[in-house]
Amino acid sequence: MCKDFKPGMVIPNPFRIEEDTALVHQVGGNHYKQTKYQPIEVRLDWNLPDPLGDVIKYLYRYKYTKEGGSPIQDLKKARHFLDIFIEHIEKQEEHGGNQSERDRNNP
């Protein structure tokens, strides 16, 4: 822990970029800008493999789904990606157990 850290201190997210970058420009709507963190920021900060990053994305966006979309469909998509990842981990455990760091990040 940083020697300058004090309880209650807010640590800035290194992926949160306030200047004119790709992160501040959303193509096709503004639903990812409506909260403090965008799903891609969580995915990068937590170093999530793709299927778990997709789970975060669909869980996040289900409440913002409007005309032409379905909140239930987004929740089902999140569950689907989680099921895919669980099956992947189970198969790895059946065939030798321990996952390498590379496999955990790139299923």
Side-chain angles (χ1 to χ4, degrees):
M1 184 173 349
C2 177
K3 65 179 183 168
D4 297 326
F5 178 80
K6 297 188 178 25
M9 208 174 177
V10 175
I11 300 172
N13 179 346
F15 299 105
R16 188 70 170 160
I17 301 171
E18 300 298 335
E19 35 190 75
D20 190 23
T21 65
L23 187 59
V24 299
H25 297 285
Q26 181 178 333
V27 177
N30 68 352
H31 49 283
Y32 292 129
K33 293 182 176 183
Q34 295 180 17
T35 60
K36 186 173 181 177
Y37 299 105
Q38 295 184 39
I40 188 68
E41 293 176 278
V42 174
R43 182 183 220 153
L44 293 171
D45 189 51
W46 294 358
N47 196 28
L48 294 175
D50 288 344
L52 294 182
D54 288 334
V55 169
I56 296 294
K57 174 179 74 174
Y58 287 114
L59 287 175
Y60 170 89
R61 78 177 212 180
Y62 90 92
K63 62 185 170 184
Y64 299 107
T65 303
K66 302 280 189 232
E67 297 174 26
S70 164
I72 297 298
Q73 184 179 32
D74 280 339
L75 291 172
K76 287 180 178 180
K77 286 179 184 179
R79 181 174 59 194
H80 177 72
F81 279 103
L82 186 57
D83 288 342
I84 288 171
F85 193 69
I86 289 170
E87 288 175 4
H88 173 75
I89 298 299
E90 287 173 341
K91 284 180 185 175
Q92 284 189 330
E93 288 178 353
E94 289 173 9
H95 295 99
N98 294 337
Q99 260 188 318
S100 71
E101 181 67 27
R102 184 181 65 85
D103 290 339
R104 275 194 295 275
N105 292 319
N106 299 301

